[in-house]
Amino acid sequence: MGRVYKVAVITGDGIGPEITEAAIHALGNVGLKLEFTKVAAGLNAWEKYKNQLPQETVDIIKSSDACLKGPTQTPPGPGSFKSATVTLRQLLDLYANVRPFRNHPGVPSIHKGVDMVIVRENTEGMYKGLEYNLGDSALGVRVITRRGSERIAKFAFDLARREKRKRVTAVHKANVLKETCGLFRNVCAEVAKSYPDILFDEMHIDAAAMRIAMKPQDIDVIVTTNLFGDVLSDECAGIVGGLGIAPSANVGDRYAFFEAIHGSAPKHAGKGDANPAAIMFSAAMMLKYLGELDAGARFEVAIDAVLAEGKTVTRDLGGKAGTMDFARAVADELSKK
Ligand code: NAD
């Protein structure tokens, strides 16, 4: 074992504490020295400190090597606090949200042969937080910048190159949203010229949603704006087996956090039956980000082995196992290697 990695863990709300505990348990057998520090964010932090993202949490994340994040809950509508997740992404300038989707052995899925990545701009767009109450109407401002579009497009092309992928597709609605999506689309096309080895094309968001539902094998890497990427991600999770297995990375130039794409699933909280596979796959992405490529790959293989065997899977995948049963099975699988 080499160096010690400091990992901040946002335990989160709802099923968050259970799935993060499961991930920490399985990571114990991955063969690395990982030092976990649990920190508060989300509804639980709001109830305790009247602050959904306490400064102490931010400080610990900044002084750690990476952060594993459980889902956090945000009450809907006006009058409630801003999402801790969105706040953290903006505060740490984690501009790239990377969401890979593939089939997993043993997991029932609508389509086979899916292997795609959504690269979602993570700090601007409709989630910038510029919303105004005007009495009987409400106004939202969508912010798209050249700088934001350029860096996310470059990130997507670099990812395509690194992962030996063939094509980047810019998804937008520039026929209607002429200024905002128009700028995003044009910048993506400009950036594409510097990557002649990668094919580039574009799709309108509505057509892309249909293509994903009908023929997702056509898609390789999607680069898109914040809200569009958020919505398409859940659709992509749906076609490969559901939210319980879909991971993500939130990455900037200095910091990163890793989380399942699903939320806090409050109805499942405390039942011990939530699927921890998505946060475990996110933890595997974290290990790769830390430079531990072998450990990350071994962790993925172990999770997939338990999914493939099908004996210890959770209710969302048709099984009867609890969250910690799955974690113990993955830990056992890792100790076999
Ligand atoms: P959700 O993803 O929490 O749940 C939707 C449904 O998917 C659940 O009812 C459940 O049936 C299923 N599901 C999700 N994850 C699962 C898992 N690991 N195992 C088994 N089943 C699972 O979405 P929602 O209901 O729209 O949101 C609930 C809360 O989560 C909201 O407060 C929202 O703000 C928050 N949220 C947080 C994040 C985040 O922290 N990044 C992301 C999305 C939603």
Side-chain angles (χ1 to χ4, degrees), residues 84-336:
T85 313
V86 173
T87 309
L88 193 58
R89 288 169 181 158
Q90 292 173 347
L91 197 67
L92 301 183
D93 201 22
L94 308 180
Y95 60 89
N97 193 326
V98 182
R99 299 182 157 196
F101 302 94
R102 62 178 168 90
N103 298 110
H104 295 271
V107 176
S109 57
I110 298 174
H111 293 282
K112 294 285 169 221
V114 180
D115 180 13
M116 58 179 286
V117 184
I118 292 185
V119 176
R120 158 188 171 194
E121 201 295 321
N122 217 17
T123 54
E124 46 185 41
M126 283 306 292
Y127 292 177
K128 189 73 182 170
L130 301 175
E131 289 203 304
Y132 305 95
N133 178 341
L134 305 176
D136 284 339
S137 49
L139 182 70
V141 179
R142 183 171 196 243
V143 178
I144 301 290
T145 64
R146 171 170 290 279
R147 173 177 174 266
S149 305
E150 205 169 78
R151 66 182 181 171
I152 197 66
K154 281 185 181 154
F155 189 99
F157 279 99
D158 287 338
L159 178 142
R161 216 174 239 177
R162 203 170 51 246
E163 297 193 359
K164 303 198 183 345
R165 292 177 176 275
K166 292 193 173 62
R167 182 189 304 270
V168 171
T169 304
V171 170
H172 57 75
K173 189 73 182 174
N175 53 334
V176 177
L177 302 171
K178 290 177 186 294
E179 295 300 335
T180 50
C181 270
L183 176 60
F184 179 78
R185 168 191 182 265
N186 290 346
V187 171
C188 287
E190 280 166 30
V191 169
K193 289 183 190 145
S194 308
Y195 295 82
D197 48 323
I198 309 285
L199 298 169
F200 172 70
D201 63 4
E202 54 184 301
M203 261 187 232
H204 291 135
I205 173 70
D206 38 358
M210 205 266 322
R211 184 77 69 90
I212 290 167
M214 300 291 289
K215 210 158 175 277
Q217 301 83 353
D218 285 356
I219 312 275
D220 199 352
V221 177
I222 281 179
V223 61
T224 191
T225 50
N226 208 338
L227 169 63
F228 292 167
D230 192 7
V231 177
L232 288 185
S233 300
D234 276 32
E235 184 190 3
C236 292
I239 61 162
V240 294
L243 286 173
I245 54 161
S248 77
N250 293 260
V251 188
D253 293 332
R254 290 183 64 189
Y255 306 106
F257 74 77
F258 299 80
E259 62 173 354
I261 75 164
H262 63 69
S264 60
K267 279 189 234 148
H268 292 267
K271 291 187 182 158
D273 66 356
N275 190 350
I279 194 160
M280 287 186 187
F281 281 126
S282 310
M285 293 175 82
M286 178 182 81
L287 298 181
K288 290 181 182 175
Y289 166 84
L290 291 172
E292 298 290 350
L293 303 185
D294 285 353
R298 265 189 295 113
F299 198 33
E300 278 172 358
V301 168
I303 304 163
D304 269 334
V306 176
L307 291 173
E309 198 190 25
K311 275 203 259 166
T312 322
V313 296
T314 47
R315 214 177 44 171
D316 56 315
L317 298 180
K320 290 197 174 81
T323 308
M324 282 311 289
D325 297 327
F326 187 88
R328 280 188 284 269
V330 174
D332 289 349
E333 193 61 38
L334 280 166
S335 61
K336 279 188 207 163

